[in-house]
């Protein structure tokens, strides 16, 4: 890579990639397969994205390891052995490192470098990227593989600079082991991250205070070592699995789909059936698919939510603490990201764990010795912020992205994110995003989703190269239809009702938009394929400088009826 400070000219490649997480690496692999040159910039010192940064105690994936893996290479599938049903962060990072080495991908990555701007030059028909270390690089195409949960959010509590203890954000965890032995630790946040970290930190710390604003529904992961032969059995029918997974809502298999409505069972039958799901544990969708209509129907949702509330009372010895852990009845189960856990609720039976309700008495400030809420001061030696991310849009909007004619992403998204298929933004030619807002990504197995996105983009690039085309742009009306379709699909469900990161409610001032596509990975993939088969309907494909753009989009854009599903 050249450095403008060294006096070299900018490096020109076919495709610039931002990010060397799971998406960025697969993109580099695919580009190289096609003989296209690429340069990736990565803010971290290593590959791995999410699994590079989130090193907090208890971090692990909650899609089964054998499924949460790349599926593009039979050799890779055969070479790697997973040790647990749900892999830990260190194992996942070892895996991503292995993949990067196995396919010699690092040589295309510039590490420790953050992209600060991406501007499109209309005449040259190319993107120019600039980085915080002075690099300048140009390419015809740019792919944002920037992750959905990659800009950590820490509420701006005053007084943190006065705190004399240690403090951490879970997504910026130190590389050296943190030892809480003998310490009074406080943790803010009970999302998926807090729920993973709390039981582990509680075992080590002298005392743990959990500052909970909104109680969360969680169910047991039932993690365990993978038994000999389990992975081999999965791989033996991998081709079949690939076909099956393509037709699933969440890009994962392994839990039976609902066959009946809750009111078709008696109360005893419901209890027994939900108990069975609870005991089996596993992926978060397991409880949500126990009955038809859980994501869309208040009554069905309430059956499952009440079951979890009962479980909390059954597990937690102190009824007052149990009640404080129960999510409010107007919070549908599944509307916030559903976590799975190991001994989360039981942790509140420990003598060294205290639960503090910071909705009733909000956190006011940090002090030199701890944390002050509206009604008490808590003495702490360490504070952990498990307070999440500026999800799905934060990282993209932190880059000054300007398309042809100076069209700025920040302006295009002033009223909330709008994309066509979560892949492109009207006005930003030749710029793609992986797992962007408007894609099903975060509601799905992210690796299967990113492979689908990347394969689709590669198909488009192949098509354009074959036809001598070099510019692609999403059409405004196709984008508007997609946004409306995605909105209708979400609005037909209970999902947008929670103040979650899915709707941006965790970030003060962020426009409330349900950002993921909730129509299902299966329906989304079908639409992507149909759109491609229809000459990339809704996209304008052209040859730069050739006069009128070649427009394949005379027919209707996306079109799929809005129903809440699953
Ligand atoms: P989440 O799911 O956004 O959770 C953040 C937590 O932090 C949540 O419990 C918040 O409470 C809490 N929070 C945020 N701000 C405050 C303030 N000011 N005071 C008290 N508590 C606060 O982030 P995670 O890291 O757990 O998970 C993100 C995703 O990563 C996860 O869904 C997986 O997809 C992987 P709230 O619920 O907003 O009341």
């Amino acid at each position: 890579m050249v450095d403008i400070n060294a006096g070299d000219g900018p490096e020109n490649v076919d495709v610039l990639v931002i990010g060397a997480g799971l998406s960025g690496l697969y993109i580099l692999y695919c580009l190289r397969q096609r003989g296209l040159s690429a340069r990736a910039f990565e803010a971290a010192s290593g590959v791995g994205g999410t699994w590079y940064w989130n090193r907090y105690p208890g971090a692990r994936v909650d899609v089964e390891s054998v499924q949460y893996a790349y599926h593009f290479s039979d050799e890779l599938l055969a070479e790697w052995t997973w040790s647990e049903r749900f892999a830990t962060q260190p194992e996942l990072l070892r895996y991503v490192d292995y993949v990067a080495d196995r396919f010699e991908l690092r040589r295309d990555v510039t590490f420790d470098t953050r992209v600060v701007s991406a501007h499109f030059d209309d005449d040259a028909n190319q993107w120019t990227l600039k980085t915080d270390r002075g690099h300048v690089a140009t390419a015809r195409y740019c792919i944002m593989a920037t992750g959905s949960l990659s800009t950590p959010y820490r509420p701006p509590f005053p007084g943190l600079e006065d705190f004399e203890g240690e403090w951490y954000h879970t997504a910026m965890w130190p590389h050296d082991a943190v030892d809480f032995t003998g310490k009074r630790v406080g943790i803010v946040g009970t999302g998926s991250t807090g729920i993973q970290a709390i039981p582990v930190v509680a075992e080590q710390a002298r005392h743990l205070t959990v500052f909970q604003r909104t109680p969360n529904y969680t169910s047991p992961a039932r993690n365990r070592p993978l038994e000999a032969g389990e992975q081999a059995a999965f791989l033996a029918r991998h081709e079949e699995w690939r076909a099956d997974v393509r037709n699933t809502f969440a890009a994962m298999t392994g839990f039976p789909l609902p066959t009946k409505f809750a009111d078709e069972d008696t109360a005893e039958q419901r209890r027994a059936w939900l108990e069975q799901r609870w005991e089996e544990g596993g992926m978060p969708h397991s409880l949500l698919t126990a009955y038809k209509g859980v994501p869309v129907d208040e009554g069905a949702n309430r059956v499952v939510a009440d079951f979890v509330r009962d479980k909390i009372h059954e597990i937690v010895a102190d009824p007052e603490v149990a009640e404080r852990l129960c999510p409010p009845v107007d919070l549908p189960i599944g509307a916030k990201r559903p976590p799975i856990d190991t001994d989360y609720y039981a942790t509140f039976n420990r003598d060294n764990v205290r639960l503090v309700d910071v909705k009733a008495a909000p956190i006011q400030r940090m002090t030199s010795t701890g944390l002050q809420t509206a009604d008490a001061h808590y003495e702490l030696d360490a504070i952990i912020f498990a307070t999440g991310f500026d999800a799905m849009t934060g990282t993209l909007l932190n880059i000054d992205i300007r398309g042809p004619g100076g069209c700025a992403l920040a302006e295009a998204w002033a009223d909330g994110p709008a994309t066509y298929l979560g892949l492109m933004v009207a006005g930003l030619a030749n710029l793609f995003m992986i797992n962007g807002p408007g894609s099903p990504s975060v509601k799905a197995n992210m690796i299967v989703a990113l492979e689908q996105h990347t394969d689709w983009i590669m198909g488009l690039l192949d098509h354009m190269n074959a036809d001598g085309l070099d510019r692609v742009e999403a059409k405004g009306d196709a984008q508007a239809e997609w946004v409306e379709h995605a909105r209708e699909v979400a609005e037909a469900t209970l999902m947008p009702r929670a103040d979650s990161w899915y709707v941006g409610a965790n970030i003060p001032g962020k426009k409330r938009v349900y950002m993921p596509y909730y129509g299902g990975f299966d329906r989304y993939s079908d639409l992507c394929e149909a759109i491609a088969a229809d000459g990339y309907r809704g996209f304008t494909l052209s040859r730069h400088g050739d006069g009128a753009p070649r427009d394949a989009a005379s027919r209707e854009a996306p079109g799929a009826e809005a129903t809440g599903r699953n």
Side-chain angles (χ1 to χ4, degrees), residues 137-155:
T138 58
R140 177 126 307 147
Y141 301 102
C142 187
I143 307 183
M144 313 303 291
T146 39
S148 306
L149 296 151
S150 44
T151 295
Y153 172 69
R154 179 168 52 77

Side-chain angles (χ1 to χ4, degrees), residues 149 153 155 157 170 188-194 211 213-214 336-337 358-359 363 386-389 499 501 506:
L149 296 151
Y153 172 69
F157 298 121
T170 48
V188 182
T190 53
S192 306
T193 300
F211 298 96
R213 190 165 66 180
T214 309
K336 279 184 182 254
R337 164 59 153 76
V358 292
K359 183 156 268 168
I363 298 171
T387 46
F389 302 86
D499 286 341
W501 58 259
N506 62 325

Side-chain angles (χ1 to χ4, degrees), residues 514-535:
Y514 191 80
M515 296 183 282
Y517 176 59
Y518 199 67
F521 175 73
D522 44 358
R523 191 199 304 189
Y524 174 82
S525 305
D526 286 348
L527 282 166
C528 287
E529 276 172 31
I531 285 166
D534 210 2

Side-chain angles (χ1 to χ4, degrees), residues 39 229 305 309 439 444 479 538:
R39 166 63 48 196
R309 275 188 277 271
S439 85
Q479 173 169 294

Side-chain angles (χ1 to χ4, degrees), residues 144-186:
M144 313 303 291
T146 39
S148 306
L149 296 151
S150 44
T151 295
Y153 172 69
R154 179 168 52 77
F157 298 121
L160 187 58
E161 62 287 357
D162 301 330
F163 180 57
E164 286 166 4
E166 320 140 27
W167 65 266
Y168 307 92
H169 189 289
T170 48
M172 294 182 293
W173 203 261
H175 290 206
D176 296 332
V178 177
D179 187 2
F180 292 119
T181 307
K183 296 199 168 137
R184 298 161 303 173
V185 182

Side-chain angles (χ1 to χ4, degrees), residues 87-121:
T88 59
Q89 175 273 331
E91 184 167 6
L92 284 156
L93 190 56
R94 280 199 300 279
Y95 172 71
V96 191
D97 272 326
Y98 176 80
V99 173
D101 291 337
R102 167 75 170 72
F103 297 103
E104 297 178 20
L105 300 172
R106 282 177 220 276
R107 67 171 195 246
D108 291 337
V109 185
T110 302
F111 292 102
D112 298 305
T113 305
R114 199 172 275 281
V115 171
V116 293
S117 69
H119 291 178
F120 190 79
D121 179 332

